[in-house]
Amino acid sequence: GENVEQHPSTLSVQEGDSAVIKCTYSDSASNYFPWYKQELGKRPQLIIDIRSNVGEKKDQRIAVTLNKTAKHFSLHITETQPEDSAVYFCAASLNTGTASKLTFGTGTRLQVTL
Amino acid sequence: GAVVSQHPSWVICKSGTSVKIECRSLDFQATTMFWYRQFPKQSLMLMATSNEGSKATYEQGVEKDKFLINHASLTLSTLTVTSAHPEDSSFYICSASPLLAVYYEQYFGPGTRLTVT
């Protein structure tokens, strides 16, 4: 089955700096890669996603890049703000025809300091 | 749009009892719903995939007789933890995949925190 590795496990940046989180996946058939932000005790919230036919996607301060050949994808947050502090999970998805199982990375705890 | 609710948000039960958790898609029909378990400071681990009107598919290592899943309609799935034990204490989160989703994106419920005493 799919295996997703995520690095780093913790990341501390100063407000205004950029943060980068990297993930690798094992199954070359995976074709959907969402990123979720989870605050303590709350649900994961989809912040951005990318399909396998796209190499890069940007939404304001957040961008995701995908390298299918190397089987890795990254989340980039620019101009970080204290409210960006949370745990971020990457995931890879393999469509099975009627549904799509998500395999999550181990998470990155991002701390944005003043 | 794409709102998923869960009930209850938290529950405390005694060891040996059963607990039912409901997951509802409020503004869309869900072909498939998923149940995850999340221990403190850990990632989400998929427990099972449920499709409306059919038996759930459980992930390896998840006891299907202990975690009963019923997906009776396109908007409701339930997870029953039977004969709960303290090690079942966890954060249980469901997600739903819209019927017409192209890439089967998933929307998560707010989670249910189960504490077994």
Side-chain angles (χ1 to χ4, degrees):
Chain A
E2 176 68 279
N3 182 50
V4 178
E5 295 189 356
Q6 183 172 346
H7 299 281
S9 57
T10 61
L11 180 59
S12 183
V13 300
Q14 284 196 324
E15 184 180 7
D17 287 349
S18 296
V20 180
I21 303 171
K22 299 181 179 182
C23 289
T24 60
Y25 61 100
S26 61
D27 193 335
S28 56
S30 291
N31 61 358
Y32 174 59
F33 307 91
W35 284 88
Y36 290 89
K37 175 184 180 182
Q38 188 180 31
E39 297 178 357
L40 188 63
K42 297 191 175 180
R43 80 183 82 195
Q45 290 202 308
L46 179 68
I47 57 172
I48 196 167
D49 57 16
I50 191 166
R51 325 296 191 191
S52 60
N53 59 347
V54 176
E56 185 174 356
K57 183 177 178 181
K58 189 174 182 180
D59 182 5
Q60 299 183 343
R61 296 187 297 110
I62 296 174
V64 59
T65 58
L66 171 65
N67 183 326
K68 287 176 59 180
T69 303
K71 289 189 282 187
H72 69 69
F73 55 114
S74 301
L75 176 71
H76 303 253
I77 305 174
T78 59
E79 301 173 23
T80 54
Q81 302 168 1
E83 50 266 38
D84 294 330
S85 297
V87 179
Y88 291 81
F89 292 99
C90 63
S93 175
L94 174 62
N95 290 343
T96 61
T98 57
S100 184
K101 289 174 51 171
L102 282 176
T103 300
F104 283 84
T106 48
T108 296
R109 185 172 300 277
L110 175 64
Q111 180 71 46
V112 180
T113 58
L114 296 174
Chain B
V3 179
V4 177
S5 70
Q6 266 183 257
H7 179 79
S9 56
W10 60 270
V11 58
I12 301 172
C13 71
K14 292 187 176 181
S15 186
T17 61
S18 297
V19 174
K20 180 185 284 189
I21 302 169
E22 291 187 349
C23 176
R24 293 181 185 272
S25 54
L26 299 184
D27 53 0
F28 65 96
Q29 291 185 318
T31 309
T32 306
M33 289 184 171
F34 302 86
W35 288 95
Y36 296 84
R37 182 165 52 181
Q38 186 177 34
F39 291 108
K41 296 186 178 182
Q42 293 189 22
S43 188
L44 286 81
M45 297 300 296
L46 180 65
M47 298 175 66
T49 303
S50 75
N51 291 293
E52 184 263 341
S54 61
K55 288 184 178 180
T57 302
Y58 291 82
E59 295 298 301
Q60 192 173 9
V62 177
E63 300 174 59
K64 61 180 182 180
D65 294 330
K66 180 172 182 63
F67 299 99
L68 302 179
I69 292 172
N70 187 315
H71 194 154
S73 75
L74 285 173
T75 60
L76 174 64
S77 176
T78 60
L79 168 68
T80 301
V81 183
T82 63
S83 186
H85 291 288
E87 56 265 33
D88 298 324
S89 298
S90 187
F91 193 48
Y92 291 86
I93 309 176
C94 71
S95 72
S97 190
L99 190 62
L100 299 178
V102 176
Y103 273 87
Y104 307 107
E105 54 267 29
Q106 294 183 27
Y107 298 94
F108 286 83
T112 296
R113 186 160 302 283
L114 170 64
T115 301
V116 184
T117 60

